[in-house]
Amino acid sequence: MDRKMPLSNVRNVGIMAHIDAGKTTVTERILYYTGKTHRLGEVHEGEAIMDWMDQERERGITICSAATTTFWKDHRINIIDTPGHVDFTVEVERSLRVLDGAIALFCAVGGVEPQSETVWRQSENYSIPKIAFVNKMDRTGADFYYVIDRIREQLGANPVPITIPMLTEEGFLGIVDLITNKAIYYDDEDLGTKEGIQEIPEFMVEEAKKWRLHLVEAASEQDEELLELFCSGEEVSEKALQDGLRRATLTRKVVPVLCGSAFKNKGVRRLLDAAVHYLPSPDDLPPVIGYTMESEKVEHPQTEEGPLAALAFKVVADKHMGKMIYFRVYSGTIRQGSYVLNSTQGKKQRVGRLLRMHANRHEARDEIYSGDIGVAIGLSDTVTGDTLCDQETPLTLSPIEFPQPVISVAISPSSRADRDKLPKGLAKLAEEDPTFVVTVDSETSETVISGMGELHLDIIVDRLRREFGINADVGPPQVAYRETMTSPFEINHKYVKQTGGKGQYAHVVLRLEPTDPGEGFEFTNKIVGGSVPREYVPAVERGIIEAMEAGVWSSSPVVDVRVTLVDGSSHAVDSSERAFKICGSMAFKQGFLKGNPELLEPVMSVTVEVPKDYQGGVCSGICGRRGRIEGMEEIGGGTGSRIRAMVPLAEMFGYATSIRQETSGRGNFTMSFEHYEAVPFSIAEEIVEKRRKKQKEEGRQGVMS
């Protein structure tokens, strides 16, 4: 039976971290301790409930964010377990967009790892209050205080421990709760369901006293009410400390930090308490901000009685249920069978069924209230980022911004039977994932799929086979090159064609100039006196844009160019939009080639973690891939190294295999797109020449067929 909770007792929480920090294991423990499940599902055994996809269980990683709802001490906690692999950053981005608070997990040995920084920055973009949990305290080399320092230095946060570990030669015994000033022990036999609360042992008394004072001081510095108590010399009660710490956490001035070992069932119950005590409810948040159809800013309080305002943040194509839309209700209530307005698409739609998800299982619901997360069936025209609202009070919420794909491969059906099914399967997967893009090359008719990395595209092809029964062949990866010009050039071009009847005449003078990186395309009309009639100017711009999209030098899209139409002429009879479009395209191509074109390639920010013994070889390998070492630091108490570098994407294919070989399987790396950089001219010429040869061969094959 679903319980309708006051908003103050609802928590929408995401669990985020670097890959293999223990996100899914923590979530599994939370579900067990809250009574949602009755047995522990282990990631390494392929039985984690939240990792329900076959690919997740086989690889032991989270690929899709999974949502569930559970209850703890009269609070409803909606939890989203997010992936830690950089290829699936879209799942983190859209989850953070609809969450109110987050639990950031850190490995007690690895500290602040590369993807930890990425997801932390993503959460900061949405101003999300956070608590931190230092996991894996039972591992050799675990250093709680080292992780605290790294959170402060690398993430620029203000971490404040509220539990500290009790470590002896025997290992990780338990924790000291600095709020209650008690020691917490766990019995391995009862799987952490019971806590043994005792006085702090003698060897921990001074340490606990020091960190309790640090906690009170840190919280007092950020909260006036607590500061008054502290300065007056009064004993700060548990309630006062919790309240002051909560206020400081909600304003993102401090990050409460806990510790434990999820795998050993230690510290997770205290983490649940912290999520309830310190993370925000929808009641703590400001009114939801939207925009009317006239682009006027409006605010709606987050209450069930207000007008409906909900955001669709995820689409899943289920072979049994059909299209499932995950949404967060910010205001009002959404009811089964009701009609809603998709204001983004401008379409009225009927809500067929409402569900509350538990990973891949679901429970039917009649209503989803303000502050809650649910799933709707029947919204066929809704996609990720769309706003659902009342027809009488239309508004749109801020959409979700996603990174652009950086790797592409050609894909083709393996057999004639797969030919008709492939486009449909790809379309469904693209609808789910905004960072997965499907295009068809107009010249070669080749289907190209683009994504965030090799693993991302591997999973896509695997899902095609398993979920849609489609076998596909994948060609070599294609790097998403761009081209630009480095010198300004003015081109005077006439397009004249006589065919016996009405001819074609157009004449333009274009000035082409490079712009700063990232500024994109800019077109300016400086025609004076009507030498090029006004109705033909848009045709010139369209011709230029088409030439830019197709590419001029290397068949890669042109970026960061300013084009000014400065002069031209027309013919009273022979001029037309088509003629000026062709003329604009031809003039741009000729002028661009005269402006010293330059090929740009995506450069990735790469972070490699290896045992220290392999540091030299790994650095040498990165330099051999045209990489630049940006920095190195010790990790794991000096036993390992973290190497940060910038490497062209074209050189990173196959690096996963290479790093395993170089480090005997002990190294790992993550990478994310950073920016575009110019390709060295000698290499650029080779790339351009290869592309031209390939186009000629494909052209000959097309003629023969």
Side-chain angles (χ1 to χ4, degrees):
M1 184 72 181
D2 187 28
R3 287 186 276 171
K4 186 174 180 180
M5 287 278 178
L7 277 181
S8 58
N9 285 26
V10 175
R11 301 289 183 272
N12 293 306
V13 178
I15 300 181
M16 61 183 202
H18 184 86
I19 190 170
D20 202 33
K23 295 179 300 301
T24 302
T25 303
V26 167
T27 309
E28 294 293 324
R29 270 36 179 195
I30 287 173
L31 297 178
Y32 180 70
Y33 297 140
T34 57
K36 190 72 177 182
T37 59
H38 302 290
R39 62 184 295 272
L40 291 174
E42 301 294 2
V43 175
H44 64 278
E45 294 174 358
E47 295 182 356
I49 291 167
M50 299 301 279
D51 284 350
W52 55 269
M53 292 176 65
D54 292 337
Q55 294 91 337
E56 292 177 316
R57 294 187 169 185
E58 288 170 5
R59 290 171 168 83
I61 63 171
T62 301
I63 293 170
C64 286
S65 55
T68 189
T69 298
T70 192
F71 296 87
W72 181 253
K73 296 185 177 178
D74 291 324
H75 286 71
R76 177 162 57 225
I77 307 177
N78 298 318
I79 301 171
I80 296 184
D81 176 26
T82 64
H85 197 287
V86 68
D87 280 20
F88 309 105
T89 188
V90 60
E91 296 289 338
V92 183
E93 189 74 34
R94 60 179 161 199
S95 298
L96 290 174
R97 171 65 176 81
V98 298
L99 292 171
D100 303 330
I103 299 171
L105 256 62
F106 300 94
C107 173
V109 179
V112 178
E113 298 169 282
Q115 189 66 2
S116 305
E117 292 188 61
T118 302
V119 295
W120 190 279
R121 285 198 305 269
Q122 287 175 295
S123 70
E124 286 294 291
N125 291 339
Y126 295 110
S127 302
I128 292 178
K130 292 171 283 291
I131 59 177
F133 184 73
V134 180
N135 194 24
K136 303 190 179 184
M137 285 302 307
D138 58 306
R139 286 182 56 184
T140 303
D143 190 337
F144 177 72
Y145 303 107
Y146 162 77
V147 180
I148 295 291
D149 290 340
R150 302 316 296 162
I151 292 173
R152 182 180 297 107
E153 292 168 18
Q154 285 183 240
L155 304 179
N158 182 16
V160 178
I162 59 174
T163 68
I164 58 174
M166 290 191 291
L167 292 167
T168 66
E169 292 179 357
E170 298 173 16
F172 177 49
L173 300 182
I175 60 175
V176 173
D177 187 329
L178 299 175
I179 302 288
T180 61
N181 253 340
K182 296 291 183 182
I184 314 296
Y185 294 88
Y186 298 91
D187 189 339
D188 292 340
E189 292 183 7
D190 61 21
L191 300 177
T193 54
K194 296 176 183 176
E195 296 179 333
I197 302 176
Q198 300 179 19
E199 294 300 318
I200 299 172
E202 190 174 334
F203 77 93
M204 285 293 298
V205 169
E206 289 304 314
E207 187 85 355
K209 191 180 294 183
K210 180 183 82 170
W211 285 103
R212 177 66 155 53
L213 180 61
H214 174 267
L215 166 61
V216 175
E217 286 179 345
S220 300
E221 286 173 4
Q222 308 298 337
D223 187 81
E224 289 185 7
E225 292 183 33
L226 206 57
L227 182 62
E228 285 184 22
L229 276 175
F230 181 65
C231 292
S232 66
E234 294 181 35
E235 179 64 29
V236 178
S237 67
E238 290 179 26
K239 180 73 166 57
L241 186 53
Q242 277 187 347
D243 290 347
L245 195 58
R246 175 177 173 78
R247 288 189 291 269
T249 305
L250 295 186
T251 54
R252 296 167 46 242
K253 293 176 180 175
V254 303
V255 177
V257 185
L258 302 95
C259 63
S261 169
F263 183 62
K264 296 292 186 180
N265 311 306
K266 296 177 180 179
V268 178
R269 292 166 63 88
R270 293 285 148 162
L271 178 62
L272 273 167
D273 289 341
V276 166
H277 288 148
Y278 307 119
L279 291 179
S281 71
D283 228 13
D284 296 311
L285 302 176
V288 61
I289 296 174
Y291 298 88
T292 66
M293 299 302 103
E294 293 76 32
S295 299
E296 294 179 3
K297 186 176 176 180
V298 292
E299 294 183 356
H300 290 312
Q302 299 202 33
T303 62
E304 295 163 17
E305 294 74 29
L308 177 64
L311 184 72
F313 67 93
K314 182 174 178 176
V315 177
V316 173
D318 186 273
K319 58 184 175 183
H320 302 297
M321 305 290 292
K323 186 175 178 179
M324 303 170 66
I325 307 296
Y326 285 69
F327 62 87
R328 159 75 190 267
V329 182
Y330 286 95
S331 169
T333 303
I334 191 165
R335 295 177 174 83
Q336 180 175 295
S338 64
Y339 283 90
V340 297
L341 174 67
N342 181 330
S343 57
T344 310
Q345 308 285 348
K347 293 181 179 179
K348 175 183 171 184
Q349 294 184 278
R350 184 177 181 273
V351 180
R353 296 174 62 192
L354 287 175
L355 310 172
R356 176 165 287 140
M357 299 304 295
H358 178 46
N360 63 330
R361 300 197 290 274
H362 60 268
E363 304 166 12
R365 289 287 171 261
D366 294 327
E367 297 178 326
I368 301 291
Y369 313 112
S370 174
D372 268 354
I373 291 171
V375 169
I377 309 292
L379 305 179
S380 56
D381 294 319
T382 299
V383 297
T384 301
D386 284 358
T387 299
L388 306 174
C389 61
D390 289 332
Q391 299 172 66
E392 300 78 23
T393 319
L395 84 161
T396 55
L397 302 174
S398 299
I400 309 171
E401 295 184 5
F402 298 109
Q404 294 298 311
V406 296
I407 180 174
S408 301
V409 297
I411 189 169
S412 59
S414 298
S415 65
R416 186 169 293 181
D418 296 315
R419 187 178 298 168
D420 294 333
K421 295 190 291 182
L422 182 60
K424 295 177 183 176
L426 290 174
K428 286 185 177 180
L429 293 175
E431 194 173 43
E432 287 186 18
D433 186 351
T435 60
F436 172 60
V437 177
V438 183
T439 56
V440 177
D441 192 306
S442 58
E443 295 182 11
T444 64
S445 299
E446 188 176 60
T447 301
V448 177
I449 57 175
S450 306
M452 300 306 295
E454 288 180 273
L455 179 59
H456 186 195
L457 296 184
D458 283 347
I459 296 295
I460 291 289
V461 174
D462 195 37
R463 289 187 64 192
L464 280 173
R465 178 175 59 83
R466 297 191 193 214
E467 297 175 26
F468 301 95
I470 301 168
N471 292 308
D473 297 322
V474 175
Q478 301 174 14
V479 178
Y481 289 106
R482 300 287 184 266
E483 52 186 70
T484 190
M485 60 190 303
T486 58
S487 303
F489 191 82
E490 189 166 298
I491 180 79
N492 188 328
H493 183 75
K494 283 185 181 179
Y495 172 64
V496 182
K497 192 173 183 181
Q498 294 296 334
T499 56
K502 181 183 176 183
Q504 298 283 342
Y505 179 90
H507 172 213
V508 297
V509 179
L510 302 179
R511 184 166 63 245
L512 281 61
E513 303 166 277
T515 63
D516 292 334
E519 285 195 9
F521 169 63
E522 182 183 326
F523 178 81
T524 308
N525 177 21
K526 290 287 183 69
I527 294 293
V528 178
S531 56
V532 174
R534 186 182 303 169
E535 61 269 24
Y536 295 146
V537 172
V540 175
E541 184 177 3
R542 284 199 303 274
I544 294 168
I545 291 172
E546 286 186 10
M548 289 178 65
E549 289 173 349
V552 180
W553 185 39
S554 66
S555 300
S556 303
V558 176
V559 296
D560 303 331
V561 174
R562 181 184 298 112
V563 180
T564 307
L565 177 60
V566 294
D567 203 359
S569 63
S570 64
H571 189 278
V573 177
D574 292 346
S575 289
S576 64
E577 284 191 13
R578 181 172 180 274
F580 271 96
K581 181 180 173 183
I582 294 171
C583 185
S585 176
M586 294 171 70
F588 178 81
K589 289 177 181 178
Q590 292 179 24
F592 183 83
L593 291 173
K594 297 286 187 181
N596 295 323
E598 186 175 64
L599 192 65
L600 305 175
E601 64 183 344
V603 173
M604 312 302 286
S605 174
V606 179
T607 302
V608 188
E609 293 184 353
V610 294
K612 205 159 191 178
D613 295 344
Y614 299 97
Q615 177 180 303
V618 170
C619 288
S620 177
I622 289 173
C623 294
R625 292 175 180 266
R626 295 195 286 125
R628 298 191 308 271
I629 305 295
E630 300 278 308
M632 286 185 286
E633 61 181 336
E634 290 185 349
I635 58 172
T639 60
S641 293
R642 180 177 293 142
I643 304 162
R644 302 175 189 274
M646 293 291 173
V647 190
L649 175 63
E651 304 290 342
M652 288 301 294
F653 298 123
Y655 189 62
T657 303
S658 176
I659 191 72
R660 290 191 194 106
Q661 292 173 345
E662 290 174 11
T663 63
S664 303
R666 296 170 63 193
N668 63 76
F669 79 100
T670 59
M671 68 176 184
S672 58
F673 171 71
E674 188 69 26
H675 57 262
Y676 273 89
E677 269 184 25
V679 181
F681 188 72
S682 58
I683 298 174
E685 283 191 313
E686 288 179 22
I687 295 169
V688 172
E689 188 59 34
K690 283 180 183 177
R691 289 192 161 204
R692 286 174 181 165
K693 281 182 180 178
K694 184 182 177 183
Q695 286 178 343
K696 285 179 182 178
E697 288 172 6
E698 290 171 346
R700 282 197 296 269
Q701 290 172 3
V703 170
M704 290 172 66
S705 61

